[in-house]
Amino acid sequence: MTENKKIPVAIERFVLHWGEMGGFWGVNRSVAQIHALLMTTERPLTAEDIAGTLELARSNVSNSLKELQNWNLVRRVPIRGDRRDHFEAETDVWEVASRIAAGRKAKEIDPALETLRACVAEAEVDPTVHPVALKRLREMLEFTETIDRWYDQITTVARPKLMALLKLGARIAALSPAGK
């Protein structure tokens, strides 16, 4: 049996906060807390280590690790001389953000686009749909398609260039003729 391990206050605060944030993003609190713990540990941990440290049920940890592996945020790593599974998180912040964004796009933007396209197509041939409703559906579709195209384009930008763009912030609007 693994005993509860004490973690530094700053790490505990981060783990608890990341768990809270996960709830806002539609991610189970335990999943987010495990991700935060693995992101801040210097070595891979076993599910037992995680359960003991976070005081979570072993079954909850197992299910959460599977979800994190599905998001490609956590991977199983072998440790010489130990037959147990050990886990480590992706620690490159850009990779983490990219993988989360790709997962969110697949779960939210892609289905929204499919639904909006179907709704617009149906509304265009339905004489009972008011023109105002059709206009608003088309605007929503156009906006969502724009976001989708932006995402596809931005994922091809090299990290250093993307970081420079992010640091520009709102000043980037001055580079666009429409931004003046």
Side-chain angles (χ1 to χ4, degrees):
M1 181 88 168
T2 304
E3 65 182 60
N4 294 355
K5 303 218 174 163
K6 186 73 174 137
I7 58 176
V9 173
I11 301 304
E12 182 177 23
R13 177 186 236 169
F14 172 69
V15 167
L16 292 173
H17 179 71
W18 202 247
E20 290 296 317
M21 294 302 296
F24 297 130
W25 300 329
V27 175
N28 178 296
R29 179 186 312 226
S30 299
V31 171
Q33 287 180 345
I34 291 167
H35 183 240
L37 178 66
L38 288 172
M39 282 182 18
T40 56
T41 59
E42 66 282 357
R43 63 180 176 76
L45 299 177
T46 65
E48 293 80 14
D49 292 334
I50 295 166
T53 301
L54 298 179
E55 300 177 7
L56 297 172
R58 177 66 173 77
S59 59
N60 187 357
V61 171
S62 291
N63 291 332
S64 297
L65 286 168
K66 285 177 189 168
E67 185 171 340
L68 288 164
Q69 287 174 306
N70 288 339
W71 279 82
N72 202 21
L73 295 173
V74 167
R75 62 190 156 271
R76 189 183 332 227
V77 293
I79 302 294
R80 187 175 170 177
D82 193 339
R83 295 182 344 172
R84 298 175 298 171
D85 289 334
H86 291 72
F87 300 89
E88 67 181 7
E90 174 60 59
T91 57
D92 181 310
V93 177
W94 281 97
E95 271 306 308
V96 170
S98 295
R99 292 173 187 179
I100 290 171
R104 298 297 299 250
K105 179 185 177 304
K107 288 184 176 190
E108 297 168 26
I109 302 297
D110 294 347
L113 273 174
E114 185 178 326
T115 300
L116 283 166
R117 286 177 179 140
C119 290
V120 167
E122 289 172 21
E124 287 175 333
V125 296
D126 185 345
T128 64
V129 173
H130 195 280
V132 170
L134 178 58
K135 177 182 181 286
R136 291 178 184 162
L137 284 172
R138 285 179 176 149
E139 289 170 349
M140 180 65 74
L141 175 59
E142 180 183 5
F143 174 80
T144 308
E145 286 175 334
T146 301
I147 294 295
D148 187 57
R149 277 191 306 278
W150 175 85
Y151 173 83
D152 289 341
Q153 292 169 2
I154 209 73
T155 58
T156 65
V157 176
R159 280 189 196 176
K161 198 173 269 191
L162 187 56
M163 181 57 102
L165 290 171
L166 289 173
K167 286 181 177 180
L168 279 173
R171 293 177 292 166
I172 199 165
L175 300 175
S176 169
K180 293 183 181 196

